[in-house]
Amino acid sequence: MKWIKKGVIFAPDHNFDWMVSHASVPVVDAIGKGVLRIYFGTRDGNGRSHTSYFEVDAGRPDKILYVHDKPILPLGRPGTFDDSGIMPSWIVTQENKKYLYYIGWNLEVTVPYHLAIGLAVSDDSGQTFQKISVGPICDRSVDEPFFNTAPCVLPEGDRWRMWYVSCTGWESGNEQPEPRYHVKYAESADGISWKKTGRVCIDDEGTSAIGRPCVYKESGLYKMFYSSRGLRGYREDLSQSYRLGYAESVDGLTWTRKDDEVGIERSESGWDSEMMEYCSFFQHEGQRYLFYNGNGFGKTGIGYAVQSDPES
């Protein structure tokens, strides 16, 4: 595949006191009448993430139609898994409800943070969301002692399938410990209660961190975009910093990495010259879009690319 970059479409700049900087982890939802709603995580003046959205023309995503003026979810009560930040990760529309899977942040002491997976549900087409619980739906456990985050969820028949990021440990960095992680797999009967299978889909191989899976199915084949970085120095060293990867699978369990077929690379200069990460694939009326973040984990905003030949 080959992608043509179209540039940045949205980058906060002190829009509100809760939206000071960053537009991270775009989550795209078609809401009808040629409109796409893009949920994203933004940061306040204290660095806490909040989730909101903006809307764009589905045929021209660079045309912003609306920017929501408040967070859609409140931070959790002190001591809960999402008391320090909330970022979106995936949205599913099922039986007139929208399921928003999100990332909850906690600040830690020996490491910078802890992450877990939460769920909020909307009964009014995404106008408002309610958390289903005070606690997370997926968190660290006996077999996964560090953290779970960044789920991608696809309902399929009588089961729901989740590909998510599981932390495998922390590496000593120059200024702070840095996590390493890979992509694992879980299943559910209702999208709420999840059974972890222990299955590793995309491994970090001890030399990298694999994040934010984005899975879709096309012509009977599962396809996944993801983010990949080195373990140390990736904030400063371009050879180690985030780039996009790609893999394929016939069953969603055993994956073959095909990073050389991703069809898009970091630019020589500009907003995505240092990093490319947290992408979201979306198709509208035959046109394939890839929404993604660039430098600074979303500090330079959300941009997009279009596939040059959708039939290829």
Side-chain angles (χ1 to χ4, degrees):
M1 69 191 98
K2 180 67 175 178
W3 297 93
I4 300 173
K5 294 182 178 181
K6 295 295 185 177
V8 178
I9 55 177
F10 182 73
D13 184 14
H14 292 81
N15 301 57
F16 306 100
D17 58 0
W18 54 271
M19 189 194 294
V20 173
S21 68
H22 292 71
S24 303
V25 197
V27 175
V28 187
D29 187 29
I31 61 172
K33 298 181 180 179
V35 177
L36 301 182
R37 178 174 293 167
I38 302 178
Y39 297 90
F40 65 97
T42 187
R43 299 187 190 183
D44 63 22
N46 294 317
R48 299 175 302 181
S49 293
H50 302 267
T51 290
S52 193
Y53 64 84
F54 61 94
E55 295 172 354
V56 301
D57 186 315
R60 282 193 51 194
D62 57 331
K63 183 179 180 181
I64 295 180
L65 306 175
Y66 173 73
V67 178
H68 200 47
D69 61 356
K70 58 179 69 68
I72 62 171
L73 292 172
L75 297 183
R77 300 200 303 265
T80 56
F81 79 104
D82 55 358
D83 66 357
S84 301
I86 289 176
M87 299 174 70
S89 185
W90 203 260
I91 193 163
V92 172
T93 301
Q94 190 82 341
E95 297 180 351
N96 299 318
K97 293 185 178 182
K98 289 186 180 292
Y99 295 72
L100 181 66
Y101 296 87
Y102 69 89
I103 304 163
W105 290 73
N106 274 137
L107 298 181
E108 296 288 299
V109 176
T110 57
V111 295
Y113 55 83
H114 173 70
L115 305 174
I117 298 171
L119 173 61
V121 177
S122 173
D123 295 312
D124 56 8
S125 301
Q127 296 302 309
T128 61
F129 286 87
Q130 298 294 325
K131 298 178 185 179
I132 68 156
S133 59
V134 176
I137 60 168
C138 286
D139 200 353
R140 56 188 168 192
S141 61
V142 171
D143 297 319
E144 295 179 276
F146 298 103
F147 65 65
N148 297 158
T149 187
C152 164
V153 176
L154 299 182
E156 193 172 84
D158 60 356
R159 63 176 173 171
W160 296 52
R161 311 186 75 181
M162 176 193 287
W163 296 265
Y164 67 98
V165 171
S166 175
C167 179
T168 58
W170 291 81
E171 298 285 330
S172 297
N174 294 332
E175 297 182 0
Q176 64 181 19
E178 297 283 2
R180 62 179 185 272
Y181 33 79
H182 55 199
V183 175
K184 298 186 80 171
Y185 177 76
E187 290 190 354
S188 171
D190 59 7
I192 299 173
S193 300
W194 290 89
K195 179 181 179 181
K196 298 178 182 178
T197 67
R199 184 85 178 220
V200 177
C201 293
I202 309 291
D203 198 5
D204 60 21
E205 300 175 348
T207 61
S208 62
I210 308 296
R212 212 296 166 101
C214 173
V215 178
Y216 63 102
K217 194 174 183 181
E218 189 172 61
S219 301
L221 190 66
Y222 293 89
K223 301 180 179 182
M224 181 195 298
F225 289 99
Y226 49 86
S227 307
S228 176
R229 63 163 174 81
L231 297 181
R232 301 181 183 87
Y234 68 94
R235 299 169 190 268
E236 304 84 18
D237 184 350
L238 291 182
S239 69
Q240 300 297 309
S241 65
Y242 269 117
R243 64 194 65 193
L244 299 182
Y246 174 74
E248 293 180 347
S249 171
V250 296
D251 59 7
L253 299 174
T254 301
W255 292 82
T256 300
R257 291 183 65 167
K258 298 186 175 184
D259 291 350
D260 58 344
E261 297 182 18
V262 70
I264 190 168
E265 299 291 343
R266 292 170 297 187
S267 300
E268 292 186 4
S269 62
W271 79 282
D272 62 351
S273 59
E274 299 170 7
M275 295 182 180
M276 289 184 68
E277 71 278 88
Y278 313 145
C279 71
S280 180
F281 172 88
F282 198 84
Q283 183 166 310
H284 173 71
E285 295 184 351
Q287 179 62 66
R288 293 176 170 90
Y289 294 125
L290 200 64
F291 296 88
Y292 66 96
N293 288 128
N295 306 342
F297 313 97
K299 187 174 184 180
T300 55
I302 294 170
Y304 80 107
V306 297
Q307 191 169 334
S308 61
D309 183 6
E311 301 302 321
S312 63

